[in-house]
Amino acid sequence: KGTYVDPLPQLKDPKDQRIHTSYHLTVAATGRLSSSDPNLQNIPIRSVEGKRIRAAFIAEEGSLLISADYSQIELRLLAHIAQMDVLRQAFCDGADIHAATASQMFGVPQDQVDGELRRRAKSINFGIIYGISAHGLAAQLSISRTEAAAYIDAYFAKYPGIKDYMEKTKAFARAHGYVETLYGRRIHVTEINSSNPNMRAFQERAAINAPLQGTAADIIKKAMVLVHADLAHQFPQARLLLQVHDELIVECPRDMAQDVAARVKNVMAGAAHLSVPLLVEAGVGNNWGEIH
């Protein structure tokens, strides 16, 4: 109530009765845009209350909102950067990536992977990106630390390219004090050689994740420039309203919404050329909560 429900109406601009956020280029270390006054990148979505709050963000009369977001972009970047042939092939085939991982790790045919095995594989897939520990994975999956450590070991055994990527990235960061995105932008991890083991471990995790999250940030910024220019040329009545990390929100007249959504998806998918496809999912609705 104190964060969203009461403050948001107070922030409406009297000129157009709409809420406007401020974006910052240089706050997040990875290069992601951040948002403030209000922070529209932090409007909840998973809870029932969150969905109701999102539903309060509506298109103007006669228009619809379009949400287009990159699907699993950091995992795709990991498959590309770490040269993970099995995952790259799965992404190229359009396979269920978590089911494919479960099949690889647990030795089960992919069509026999049940919901629980898929959930475990999903936690490991996303956890690896952030350098998850056996303790962290155990807490997430409600299993023993020993079992979680065995899962992580099995993951690295199946995907040796990831371990190589992690060790090379940490070694580079220790030697130079920074890591780089695919576009050569540097992200500094100056405390990676700290004598404090907690700080050192934190910086090692940051070094592993920063090239992935940082490259994703570079790609979405490229996409914003391309989408803005393309809409100005093809659909001048449409406009880019918001960026929420891997998601772009566009507003356009109701009668052209499906065409604009298809166009935005196409432009975003072509914003970078990797060894795996960039998949973009788009939805259309009267309000932000209705789209998801």
Side-chain angles (χ1 to χ4, degrees):
K1 191 170 186 295
T3 305
Y4 306 107
V5 181
D6 284 343
L8 286 174
Q10 316 289 332
L11 294 163
K12 283 196 297 189
D13 189 317
K15 290 178 190 162
D16 62 7
Q17 293 299 301
R18 301 186 79 161
I19 290 170
H20 299 264
T21 190
S22 294
Y23 278 115
H24 311 282
L25 282 164
T26 56
V27 172
T30 55
R32 274 185 160 190
L33 289 183
S34 62
S35 161
S36 68
D37 307 312
N39 182 355
L40 293 184
Q41 294 182 322
N42 200 33
I43 304 300
I45 186 172
R46 287 188 175 86
S47 64
V48 173
E49 291 88 350
K51 285 188 169 68
R52 291 180 67 195
I53 291 166
R54 285 214 170 194
F57 291 83
I58 62 174
E60 65 182 21
E61 201 170 336
S63 295
L64 290 172
L65 295 180
I66 295 162
S67 165
D69 69 291
Y70 286 116
S71 172
Q72 303 169 331
I73 189 170
E74 290 182 28
L75 206 50
R76 289 168 189 270
L77 286 168
L78 180 63
H80 173 81
I81 292 171
Q83 300 179 348
M84 297 164 62
D85 290 337
V86 175
L87 278 192
R88 284 201 292 201
Q89 192 59 52
F91 278 128
C92 289
D93 292 343
D96 178 335
I97 202 67
H98 303 308
T101 298
S103 174
Q104 282 284 314
M105 281 187 59
F106 303 119
V108 177
Q110 198 164 322
D111 58 1
Q112 292 177 30
V113 171
D114 61 21
E116 179 58 23
L117 286 183
R118 186 184 182 280
R119 185 178 75 88
R120 294 186 176 204
K122 183 177 180 179
S123 292
I124 298 166
N125 269 337
F126 287 127
I128 290 293
I129 294 172
Y130 296 100
I132 199 167
S133 64
H135 177 76
L137 185 63
Q140 209 172 92
L141 294 177
S142 302
I143 58 177
S144 71
R145 192 182 175 286
T146 305
E147 195 176 355
Y151 282 162
I152 291 172
D153 289 344
Y155 193 92
F156 287 142
K158 287 293 181 185
Y159 302 124
I162 291 189
K163 193 72 171 173
D164 292 345
Y165 160 73
M166 289 178 166
E167 294 308 319
K168 282 178 187 170
T169 302
K170 287 191 286 189
F172 183 92
R174 289 188 198 104
H176 299 91
Y178 65 85
V179 290
E180 290 184 336
T181 71
L182 280 182
Y183 296 94
R185 186 168 55 79
R186 294 180 181 182
I187 299 165
H188 295 274
V189 282
T190 51
E191 296 298 314
I192 196 162
N193 293 312
S194 169
S195 57
N196 180 322
N198 289 334
M199 173 57 75
R200 195 165 61 246
F202 174 78
Q203 290 275 277
E204 284 178 352
R205 288 195 298 274
I208 290 164
N209 177 250
L212 306 173
Q213 195 176 112
T215 300
D218 292 345
I219 290 171
I220 194 75
K221 286 177 187 171
K222 283 188 70 179
M224 289 172 74
V225 172
L226 293 170
V227 166
H228 176 75
D230 191 78
L231 291 179
H233 180 63
Q234 298 288 338
F235 297 100
Q237 304 97 316
R239 58 180 179 160
L240 182 57
L241 289 187
L242 199 65
Q243 186 255 61
V244 184
H245 303 315
D246 303 329
E247 174 188 20
L248 297 183
I249 307 291
V250 172
E251 184 178 62
C252 72
R254 184 175 293 271
D255 61 356
M256 62 175 65
Q258 294 302 331
D259 290 338
V260 171
R263 188 80 191 180
V264 170
K265 274 182 70 171
N266 192 46
V267 172
M268 287 176 68
H273 301 286
L274 309 172
S275 57
V276 296
L278 282 176
L279 179 65
V280 180
E281 296 173 340
V284 176
N286 295 293
N287 64 64
W288 196 9
E290 192 177 283
I291 299 171
H292 294 278

